[in-house]
Amino acid sequence: MVKLSVASRRRACALSLVLVSSMAASACASDSNPDTGDAAASSLTIAVDKDSGPLNIFVGQTDQMTELIYDKLLSPSPYVADPQPWLATSVNQIDAKTWEVELRNDVKWHDGEALTADDVVFSFHFMHAAPTGRFTHHINDTPSISTVVPTESGVRFVCDYACPELGTVTLADRPILPEHIWSSVDPAKAKEVTDLPIGTGPFELADYSPTSGYRFEANTDYFAGTPTVDELVMPVIPDASAVFTALRSGQIDASTTPLAPELIDQFQSDSDIGVIEASPLQYPELKLNFLEQPFSEPKFRTALSRAVDREQLLDVVALGRGRPATQGYVHPDAPFAAPDTNTPYDVADANRILDGLGFVDGDGDGFRENAVGEKLAFAIHVSGGQSTDVRSAELLVEDFRAIGLDVTITALDAGSFSEVSSKKTYDMLVTTNSPHAVADSTQFIMSHRSGNLWKAPDVAYPEFDALYEKWQSTETNDARIDALYEVQDLFNEQPTAIGLYYPDEYWGFRSDTFDGWAETPGYGIVHKWSFLPREVSEQAHAIAPSN
């Protein structure tokens, strides 16, 4: 294990994003809840649904928790139309390939060292050399950053090709690392680091144990304002029913698990529990193994998409709370989502397509066969512990039976499901994507190049290749989004991942212990913005302004 040494359409975005000058004035220590005037909570207990280790950002995707520790140049995320300077004071596009960032001079790491431009430069160089992971595509492919150098008051970024969204996507997503900590680590071994992380964020991870979970302590010297909570205790409770029982009994104050649809009314009627509706920017999907026949055939994937009754999935699985996924990939609330793309439900058209492909029911048993007489029989893999995904799979089996496909369900434990998913040893698989996957415009492109939505250039897809070249050649944000619209239309006509429904999300919390919770797109309510002075979170565009 590697140990660290402390010593050793369209966004209406201006080319210059200037930090709201009043932030420094308003970012003062707060001893009360900025909404109610009540005393700030000294400690909150928040259940997390999985053990993510010591929050090494090179391992897994735990954005809500890691962002308690780390900051980015802009905040809150790429999922809002106009992220604001955060560690930066201004972000300026110089030309199609060049951006310059000016940095704050009042930021310190948790160990007391000052944040400098060298930390920013180091972070991007280190990420470029690290193994492929959650953040690396923002450095070495989509976009591809060739130069990161310090300037008199900040950092200059130069891309290999035009990068009009660098400011509002990459810089709003990429956490900054301390050079004096990580410089002793071989980038190739970044995933092996087990020390508790050091960041600039509003909380420091004070303790972690696979058995007891996490404990965070407030960073009282945080540049943006003293957190409104002194301590966050986060036990790991993977079982959703246990989480909801603990919330109802007052053993926990909140959780990273949204309320199950059937529990929402019950919790809303409980006077001690508050419920917040949030913008999830994620949804369940049916992934298709495009590396295998017949899923490698575009028209076959079109037929599968036509056969899915998304209205029924929404009504039965989500109890009508949300929208049917008729707009396909990406999430319709993403800043770059094509407004007119469509994935129609048309069983007759699905049958017509399959007939045209030569898949017919030759023996009269109700199931189609291929050209050599083999029945078209497939399995949908699903995590057995995810009851809504299992129910979705059951409805999909019915949908595909209506077009002559013999589909069964294979339920797996969480570990086996993860292995099947990562190794692509499935026909079809029900899972839930992440906001990063379906609300980050550069990740949408990268997913076609990484093996998620496609595997370029290993698998021929000339239509996408042509659109990728068109996308890459654009130099303005508007032109790039136009190109993204075309990619979405192409993908949704012959998808390798079929959106099932766009759920609404409801989060429960103990209103009798803390009422500073706020939602920000893609993050639910458990995130740094719930624990900072409200005016600071509003100025960062992380939460909606108070009425």
Side-chain angles (χ1 to χ4, degrees):
M1 294 182 179
V2 175
K3 303 293 284 183
L4 298 177
S5 170
V6 171
S8 1
R9 140 187 251 252
R10 305 181 189 269
R11 306 181 186 195
C13 295
L15 295 183
S16 176
L17 304 173
V18 181
L19 184 68
V20 179
S21 60
S22 62
M23 177 177 284
S26 66
C28 56
S30 174
D31 292 326
S32 64
N33 183 303
D35 253 355
T36 66
D38 296 335
S42 60
S43 181
L44 293 176
T45 301
I46 303 168
V48 296
D49 59 353
K50 64 180 179 179
D51 174 16
S52 299
L55 300 185
N56 179 340
I57 66 167
F58 295 94
V59 181
Q61 298 183 27
T62 54
D63 289 1
Q64 288 94 325
M65 294 174 69
T66 56
E67 289 200 8
L68 296 171
I69 301 166
Y70 293 106
D71 286 310
K72 302 172 293 191
L73 295 173
L74 281 79
S75 280
S77 71
Y79 316 140
V80 300
D82 53 349
Q84 297 295 293
W86 195 245
L87 291 178
T89 57
S90 68
V91 179
N92 300 280
Q93 185 171 14
I94 307 304
D95 56 41
K97 299 180 181 180
T98 307
W99 290 76
E100 289 190 351
V101 172
E102 294 191 2
L103 295 174
R104 298 182 65 108
N105 59 11
D106 58 348
V107 180
K108 293 186 180 298
W109 298 99
H110 293 152
D111 60 6
E113 295 282 337
L115 170 79
T116 69
D118 289 339
D119 292 310
V120 177
V121 172
F122 170 82
S123 295
F124 281 80
H125 286 314
F126 188 91
M127 187 64 73
H128 182 78
T132 299
R134 159 72 174 81
F135 300 100
T136 54
H137 83 82
H138 279 317
I139 312 299
N140 55 24
D141 188 283
T142 316
S144 177
I145 302 175
S146 55
T147 303
V148 186
V149 295
T151 63
E152 183 175 344
S153 57
V155 177
R156 178 183 297 115
F157 298 88
V158 181
C159 301
D160 290 315
Y161 58 90
C163 50
E165 71 280 81
L166 183 82
T168 52
V169 177
T170 299
L171 303 187
D173 187 71
R174 173 68 177 87
I176 302 303
L177 298 170
E179 181 183 21
H180 65 283
I181 299 291
W182 284 87
S183 59
S184 62
V185 177
D186 179 351
K189 297 182 178 180
K191 293 184 177 182
E192 300 177 22
V193 171
T194 58
D195 276 8
L196 300 187
I198 297 292
T200 59
F203 288 89
E204 182 174 359
L205 182 58
D207 295 296
Y208 160 72
S209 165
T211 54
S212 61
Y214 303 83
R215 187 175 69 84
F216 295 85
E217 293 179 353
N219 175 8
T220 56
D221 294 325
Y222 191 49
F223 71 89
T226 301
T228 57
V229 178
D230 299 329
E231 179 187 58
L232 302 175
V233 178
M234 296 188 172
V236 178
I237 308 178
D239 181 78
S241 61
V243 168
F244 301 141
T245 298
L247 182 61
R248 185 180 285 112
S249 67
Q251 294 175 293
I252 62 174
D253 300 300
S255 81
T256 59
T257 302
L259 295 176
E262 64 272 15
L263 295 179
I264 294 170
D265 290 340
Q266 298 177 31
F267 277 74
Q268 287 178 328
S269 64
D270 190 324
S271 60
D272 291 330
I273 296 178
V275 176
I276 292 178
E277 181 178 355
S279 305
L281 292 179
Q282 61 183 12
Y283 53 83
E285 63 183 354
L286 178 70
K287 297 181 74 70
L288 310 177
N289 190 347
F290 54 84
L291 298 177
E292 295 182 353
Q293 282 285 357
F295 301 99
S296 57
E297 167 55 55
K299 291 182 178 179
F300 183 77
R301 301 196 303 271
T302 301
L304 293 180
S305 179
R306 297 282 194 274
V308 174
D309 187 346
R310 296 166 176 84
E311 292 274 4
Q312 183 185 49
L313 282 160
L314 174 67
D315 291 341
V316 174
V317 182
L319 303 184
R321 297 181 184 272
R323 291 164 283 175
T326 54
Q327 199 168 320
Y329 216 96
V330 298
H331 196 285
D333 294 338
F336 66 101
D340 300 323
T341 188
N342 186 35
T343 55
Y345 173 50
D346 192 334
V347 175
D349 191 40
N351 279 313
R352 179 190 61 79
I353 293 171
L354 293 177
D355 290 343
L357 291 172
F359 299 135
V360 297
D361 179 13
D363 58 13
D365 67 349
F367 296 110
R368 296 174 182 271
E369 296 94 36
N370 60 21
V372 296
E374 298 171 330
K375 182 167 63 174
L376 293 184
F378 310 107
I380 296 178
H381 284 77
V382 64
S383 176
Q386 300 294 326
S387 59
T388 55
D389 288 355
V390 173
R391 187 66 183 118
S392 293
E394 293 170 346
L395 294 176
L396 289 166
V397 167
E398 296 175 9
D399 288 342
F400 295 143
R401 175 66 181 83
I403 59 171
L405 304 183
D406 183 14
V407 178
T408 57
I409 297 173
T410 301
L412 303 172
D413 61 77
S416 299
F417 180 81
S418 178
E419 182 177 8
V420 165
S421 176
S422 63
K423 293 183 178 179
K424 254 187 172 58
T425 53
Y426 58 84
D427 300 322
M428 296 179 280
L429 178 143
V430 175
T431 187
T432 296
N433 52 39
S434 68
H436 180 63
V438 296
D440 178 327
S441 61
T442 57
Q443 179 58 42
F444 177 57
I445 292 296
M446 187 62 197
S447 289
H448 285 80
R449 298 170 53 75
S450 65
N452 182 18
L453 300 180
W454 200 251
K455 196 173 177 64
D458 300 340
V459 182
Y461 195 174
E463 299 92 342
F464 170 76
D465 292 343
L467 289 180
Y468 174 71
E469 291 182 8
K470 182 176 182 179
W471 171 87
Q472 196 176 47
S473 69
T474 57
E475 295 190 352
T476 67
N477 198 60
D478 281 358
R480 184 144 290 183
I481 291 178
D482 278 339
L484 284 168
Y485 286 177
E486 293 187 65
V487 178
Q488 290 170 66
D489 287 340
L490 172 66
F491 181 85
N492 288 325
E493 178 59 23
Q494 49 188 40
T496 57
I498 299 173
L500 303 183
Y501 56 91
Y502 310 126
D504 294 334
E505 272 187 0
Y506 295 80
W507 299 81
F509 60 92
R510 297 293 303 191
S511 57
D512 53 348
T513 58
F514 181 72
D515 61 0
W517 303 103
E519 76 98 3
T520 194
Y523 287 86
I525 64 171
V526 180
H527 47 69
K528 69 169 66 174
W529 310 106
S530 284
F531 311 123
L532 289 176
R534 178 164 291 273
E535 63 271 20
V536 171
S537 298
E538 289 177 359
Q539 289 167 10
H541 293 187
I543 63 175
S546 303
N547 293 330

